[in-house]
Amino acid sequence: MKYALVQVSVPHRNVDRAFHYIIPPELKDKLTTGMRVYVPFGNGNRRTEGYILGFSDKSEVDEAKLKSILDIHEDYRILSDKRIALGAWMSKKYYSTFNECLYCIAPKAANQKMFSCVSLNRDNPQLHELIAATKKRSSKQSQVLDLFINDAEIPLSHIKSILDIDNAPINALVKKGILKMTQYRSYRGNYNKSVPAAKPKPDLTEEQEQVIRLIQKENRPVLLHGVTGSGKTEVYLRLIEDVIKTGKQAIVLVPEISLTPQTVERFVSRFGERVSLTHSKMTDGERYDQWTRAAKGEIDIMIGPRSAVFTPFENIGIIIIDEEHESSYKADHSPRYDAREVAMKLAEMYGAKLVLGSATPSIVSYYKTITGEYALGEMKQRVNKSMPKIEICDLRKELASKNYSIFSRALHSAIQDNLQRGKQTILFLNRRGFSTFVSCRKCGYVMTCDHCSVNYTYHRHTNSLVCHYCGKSIPLPARCPQCGSPYIKYFGTGTEKIEQEVMRLFPTARVLRMDMDTTKGKNSHTNILEAFRNHRADILIGTQMIAKGLDFPNVTLVGVIAADLSLNMNDYHSGEITYNLITQVAGRAGRADDPGRVIIQTYNPDHYSIVCAKNNDYFTYFKEEITFRRIMKYPPFSNVFYILMTSDNEELTVKAANTMAAILNKYNSRGRFERLGPAPAVISKISNKYRYRIIIKCEDEERLKAYVLYCVNIFSAIKELKKVSISIALNPNYSI
Ligand code: ADP
Ligand code: ZN
Ligand code: ZN
């Protein structure tokens, strides 16, 4: 074959295809499909990364115009045929370019890190004489030689640090032919923390055994609905054990915030060095190296968030998605892939098992067990047989009886009680900062961000007003910017205020706070959790960072300060999010021998998501939720496409939105697609950009995509509206 077809990694739709390149003679025998190469591209012949998708004897253009491949990046295939097919599938499914999909599937190219080892040059016949001369003459060199009493191969860096020398004496010995230097590949990002010895494997409970049997015999994906603490992780460990015994590999997806040392240790202590993990704080080099280890078969188990679904195992036996209801499994930028769907596709391609586990399955996934697309496995009992007792506390009644504190009397006395018994408490509020609403008492002026249609949140620690959307922060003004009055008032509660109130009301309690503001440092997240685990604090206050996956045996009380926050967010997911949050937070209580108690404060004590969470009644909640969605035509019964138009000129944005609506109207002659809007987006201005949205609903996903993409294309060709950017999202996690 004379030419290679190279998909060039340039992020533009109009070059999202393979181009012909000449294969230079020196690469003729080395190139295969799926290799990563470098090619000259564009007018400047920029050195550009690309992937070989195939070969051809015929060229699309005149041979004289063709350029040659420059070189290869790795001397092995980076994309198997299956991965190339996956990219094509994703690009269609998620209406993104093939290149964008390949960015997910292949690790970003990074240099390979090498290290040098030094050993005696046994091939040299005069070795012994040379050593004897050298030992007499140079003391530095002879010190080095003393390290090589046996046939050791010693890393160069060790020699230098043991003897506290530079390269000179070693180089001299190499030059004389006494020592030789060998290069090895070193892998960045290996898990290298010490791990406690594996505990003996527990005898499985009956529910665990049943579920494992079910998963082993099922060909369909299995949704594992197991209450918090029912032993789902133990089930995963057993399934993985079986899979790797047969020489296959396992991928375990967990939400980034549950990727705590505690979780990782359970896997590493069972499977040792065959486990690797990825996370978002990894450098490109670390990710590249761990990806390479997976591709070379040096590990069998990868644990990580959403992106770990692309781990290049070519013999996948099982994919496990823990906390499958988590919104983080869906990407919120292009390609807007859903790791659950990608996992399903991979499972199909590789004949692998797919297990989706959760105490609070997403409505969409649970519905699939009703239609038969998934099988359902259930674990209804905690391993310790004790579910926490959940109480609802009606905040309206507290107000009526003149309790103006953040804490209801029930929660106040429960905290007091827990402190006295030396037990730990978790207080949950999904809002950071101190006050969420700052206004002037005289004229009513509300402090809002100049760049966004968002109220400032007051942060007491820094005495500043912070916009949680664009991040802008200003010092708290001493006087009202509108009328000059000094009477500034604070409303609303964030975690910072809870912290202050706890310290005021329970002065002896040791308190930790975990939210975005206290976890900016590299290890702060781990440090806070470890401090709490080691009982260096009595009360942990936090946002949803503390809601999931944590297992603290000494926590017997969980307080939810305001269950209404998520209910009031004006989004069709609000019932689901509320049920999930309450159940997950409640699941942190009473995980060991002492029974747990959960107190939920709310102004909506009769809302089904709160009542069902209290009763641990998933099915009733599911029925309420699915009925609402059927009537309102929301997923899983319909698909919702958001079209968002933004620009820095409000008038122009409105004009664009109206134009878009007219186009959508024109091509909807049969009325198949339901349109809502145009209307201002949920947040109508962010960072000085005005935001308008249109929502289109339709049952048929393929039809809906084709229609919207067609209309967006027409819109994009309108010159006067070039300054308006347009973005689209199908069934996003949150209303836009
Ligand atoms: P989940 O993932 O469902 O929340 P875990 O797997 O974390 O539950 O299990 C909860 C606790 O019970 C953990 O401390 C775990 O070590 C323990 N556990 C799990 N299975 C068993 C078992 N069969 N026997 C005894 N303890 C178990
Ligand atoms: Zn004022
Ligand atoms: Zn802002």
Side-chain angles (χ1 to χ4, degrees):
M1 295 284 171
K2 285 164 75 177
Y3 311 106
L5 289 139
V6 179
Q7 173 81 21
V8 180
S9 299
V10 174
H12 289 299
R13 227 163 235 287
N14 46 0
V15 292
D16 190 46
R17 63 180 181 91
F19 292 85
H20 282 72
Y21 278 89
I22 296 169
I23 302 172
E26 71 275 14
L27 292 181
K28 260 217 152 66
D29 301 327
K30 292 189 181 160
L31 294 184
T32 59
T33 310
M35 263 191 174
R36 176 148 51 191
V37 293
Y38 288 96
V39 294
F41 191 74
N43 291 333
N45 281 336
R46 249 183 96 102
R47 184 182 159 88
T48 309
E49 195 181 301
Y51 298 91
I52 298 185
L53 295 188
F55 298 93
S56 162
D57 269 329
K58 285 204 204 88
S59 160
E60 53 182 350
V61 291
D62 198 357
E63 157 126 26
K65 286 191 184 152
L66 285 186
K67 303 168 188 174
S68 284
I69 293 177
L70 300 170
D71 49 44
I72 54 183
H73 188 267
E74 299 93 350
D75 54 1
Y76 54 88
R77 288 188 75 156
I78 203 92
L79 297 172
S80 66
D81 291 341
K82 287 198 173 92
R83 302 282 153 169
I84 294 173
L86 180 72
W89 173 83
M90 279 177 73
S91 143
K92 189 155 177 284
K93 173 97 184 153
Y94 304 112
Y95 45 92
S96 55
T97 64
F98 189 46
N99 274 329
E100 284 174 318
C101 300
L102 293 185
Y103 292 145
C104 299
I105 293 172
K108 203 166 165 197
N111 63 331
Q112 302 186 358
K113 196 175 172 207
M114 308 300 283
F115 69 99
S116 311
C117 277
V118 184
S119 56
L120 286 178
N121 185 10
R122 295 266 171 216
D123 300 336
N124 187 341
Q126 275 116 33
L127 183 65
H128 291 287
E129 295 149 49
L130 283 167
I131 290 178
T134 304
K135 283 210 166 175
K136 272 179 215 145
R137 281 208 207 120
S138 158
S139 69
K140 274 242 172 89
Q141 291 178 21
S142 99
Q143 268 185 329
V144 173
L145 288 173
D146 285 342
L147 295 176
F148 291 89
I149 17 180
N150 44 33
D151 251 340
E153 187 170 29
I154 309 175
L156 177 64
S157 56
H158 283 204
I159 303 177
K160 285 161 65 179
S161 70
I162 293 168
L163 301 178
D164 194 21
I165 54 171
D166 59 14
N167 280 337
I170 304 163
N171 286 345
L173 287 164
V174 172
K175 213 164 168 194
K176 285 182 188 167
I178 299 177
L179 293 182
K180 67 174 183 202
M181 200 99 79
T182 320
Q183 300 282 312
Y184 291 97
R185 172 111 187 245
S186 103
Y187 291 112
R188 293 153 289 194
N190 284 0
Y191 190 81
N192 54 11
K193 301 201 179 65
S194 67
V195 168
K199 286 192 209 129
K201 280 188 263 178
D203 292 332
L204 295 175
T205 65
E206 193 153 325
E207 286 190 324
Q208 284 173 324
E209 277 192 25
Q210 265 176 20
V211 157
I212 290 174
R213 273 202 298 274
L214 170 80
I215 296 169
Q216 280 166 341
K217 76 168 211 303
E218 260 300 335
N219 290 320
R220 293 174 295 173
V222 177
L223 178 71
L224 172 53
H225 177 206
V227 299
T228 54
S230 58
K232 294 186 288 296
T233 311
E234 185 61 39
V235 168
Y236 305 153
L237 292 167
R238 298 296 174 105
L239 292 167
I240 293 170
E241 197 179 326
D242 283 348
V243 158
I244 59 179
K245 259 189 217 146
T246 64
K248 295 190 172 183
Q249 301 130 349
I251 296 173
V252 184
L253 302 186
V254 295
E256 180 103 29
I257 50 175
S258 321
L259 202 58
T260 58
Q262 200 189 357
T263 316
V264 176
E265 274 175 15
R266 283 179 78 177
F267 287 86
V268 178
S269 70
R270 188 88 46 109
F271 299 110
E273 288 177 351
R274 305 297 295 180
V275 182
S276 173
L277 81 142
T278 59
H279 52 82
S280 65
K281 291 198 175 122
M282 270 181 144
T283 62
D284 289 343
E286 287 171 340
R287 174 178 298 267
Y288 178 70
D289 284 353
Q290 295 309 311
W291 236 239
T292 307
R293 289 180 75 209
K296 293 195 164 170
E298 291 182 18
I299 53 169
D300 321 293
I301 303 162
M302 179 65 92
I303 308 173
R306 179 173 77 219
S307 60
V309 77
F310 298 110
T311 306
F313 287 139
E314 280 305 310
N315 203 359
I316 308 174
I318 191 167
I319 304 176
I320 291 163
I321 306 183
D322 193 27
E323 313 277 10
E324 73 84 29
H325 60 279
E326 272 284 312
S327 60
S328 62
Y329 286 127
K330 200 181 267 182
D332 52 11
H333 50 81
S334 197
R336 291 173 177 267
Y337 72 90
D338 185 327
R340 289 160 292 206
E341 291 167 346
V342 173
M344 178 112 156
K345 184 72 189 167
L346 285 169
E348 209 177 280
M349 291 170 120
Y350 287 87
K353 294 202 173 292
L354 174 61
V355 177
L356 303 109
S358 176
T360 54
S362 66
I363 293 294
V364 171
S365 292
Y366 199 85
Y367 186 68
K368 290 183 179 170
T369 69
I370 309 261
T371 61
E373 195 177 341
Y374 292 170
L376 177 65
E378 287 183 302
M379 301 204 296
K380 298 183 172 172
Q381 294 242 357
R382 275 194 173 181
V383 174
N384 70 2
K385 297 281 193 304
S386 131
M387 285 302 282
K389 188 171 166 297
I390 303 183
E391 300 153 46
I392 297 180
C393 185
D394 186 345
L395 287 176
R396 294 170 308 185
K397 288 193 184 141
E398 294 290 320
L399 271 185
S401 60
K402 303 212 162 41
N403 175 15
Y404 303 117
S405 157
I406 297 172
F407 301 111
S408 59
R409 272 160 296 199
L411 183 54
H412 187 281
S413 71
I415 296 173
Q416 191 87 56
D417 193 47
N418 230 29
L419 282 170
Q420 267 159 15
R421 293 193 301 126
K423 294 289 170 191
Q424 290 176 292
T425 300
I426 286 180
L427 297 176
F428 172 79
L429 179 69
N430 209 8
R431 196 155 64 183
R432 66 195 170 95
F434 192 84
S435 295
T436 49
F437 188 79
V438 183
S439 74
C440 167
R441 235 194 265 213
K442 191 153 173 235
C443 73
Y445 178 82
V446 177
M447 316 273 172
T448 48
C449 176
D450 314 338
H451 306 303
C452 313
S453 57
V454 170
N455 293 342
Y456 271 129
T457 300
Y458 174 53
H459 285 245
R460 192 160 175 274
H461 178 67
T462 50
N463 199 34
S464 57
L465 297 177
V466 180
C467 170
H468 284 186
Y469 278 82
C470 72
K472 185 179 162 150
S473 162
I474 57 165
L476 179 73
R479 290 175 176 277
C480 167
Q482 185 164 280
C483 74
S485 109
Y487 304 110
I488 309 265
K489 199 168 176 193
Y490 307 90
F491 299 91
T493 302
T495 43
E496 232 190 326
K497 188 170 188 170
I498 304 287
E499 184 182 28
Q500 191 200 35
E501 281 299 287
V502 166
M503 295 205 274
R504 188 175 69 83
L505 295 168
F506 311 100
T508 58
R510 296 163 303 164
V511 184
L512 283 169
R513 173 163 63 91
M514 188 153 140
D515 54 32
M516 243 163 73
D517 299 313
T518 62
T519 51
K520 284 184 182 141
K522 192 163 188 228
N523 296 318
S524 45
H525 187 262
T526 308
N527 293 346
I528 294 173
L529 293 181
E530 282 310 295
F532 194 58
R533 172 176 318 288
N534 298 327
H535 208 155
R536 278 184 271 135
D538 305 299
I539 300 177
L540 174 66
I541 299 161
T543 55
Q544 61 175 338
M545 281 184 185
I546 60 168
K548 323 244 154 98
L550 304 176
D551 189 356
F552 300 119
N554 203 37
V555 172
T556 52
L557 173 66
V558 166
V560 177
I561 304 295
D564 313 276
L565 283 188
S566 48
L567 279 184
N568 295 337
M569 61 185 201
N570 196 8
D571 186 314
Y572 79 85
H573 298 93
S574 64
E576 181 170 17
I577 292 169
T578 306
Y579 180 87
N580 290 356
L581 269 178
I582 294 176
T583 308
Q584 299 285 345
V585 191
R588 303 311 115 217
R591 292 179 71 89
D593 300 333
D594 289 310
R597 185 175 173 196
V598 181
I599 297 176
I600 299 168
Q601 305 191 143
T602 176
Y603 290 98
N604 295 282
D606 303 321
H607 193 280
Y608 66 85
S609 64
I610 292 177
V611 175
C612 293
K614 167 187 150 57
N615 297 336
N616 186 27
D617 184 358
Y618 179 86
F619 198 65
T620 303
Y621 144 76
F622 173 78
K623 279 191 299 191
E624 289 278 351
E625 199 56 56
I626 205 79
T627 308
F628 159 72
R629 295 197 186 190
R630 185 178 275 125
I631 294 169
M632 299 303 291
K633 296 204 200 114
Y634 281 120
F637 300 104
S638 185
N639 294 284
V640 188
F641 224 133
Y642 282 75
I643 307 173
L644 181 72
M645 282 136 299
T646 55
S647 86
D648 49 17
N649 177 331
E650 184 163 22
E651 220 174 300
L652 189 70
T653 316
V654 172
K655 190 173 169 203
N658 288 330
T659 310
M660 187 73 223
I663 298 169
L664 287 162
N665 219 21
K666 182 171 169 196
Y667 295 99
N668 188 20
S669 53
R670 290 206 212 165
R672 201 174 256 146
F673 309 98
E674 185 187 338
R675 172 165 58 83
L676 302 170
V682 174
I683 310 287
S684 59
K685 185 177 134 196
I686 296 179
S687 299
N688 286 326
K689 298 253 192 251
Y690 295 88
R691 300 154 53 83
Y692 276 73
R693 71 167 194 207
I694 294 174
I695 298 172
I696 309 287
K697 285 190 201 172
C698 176
E699 243 176 78
D700 185 330
E701 180 183 326
E702 292 309 314
R703 272 219 172 103
L704 178 61
K705 274 191 299 208
Y707 165 68
V708 170
L709 293 177
Y710 184 77
C711 294
V712 166
N713 259 340
I714 293 176
F715 174 91
S716 304
I718 302 173
K719 284 217 175 61
E720 305 86 83
L721 299 174
K722 272 273 179 293
K723 287 204 172 125
V724 179
S725 43
I726 188 160
S727 67
I728 51 179
L730 182 61
N731 302 329
N733 292 318
Y734 300 103
S735 292
I736 291 170

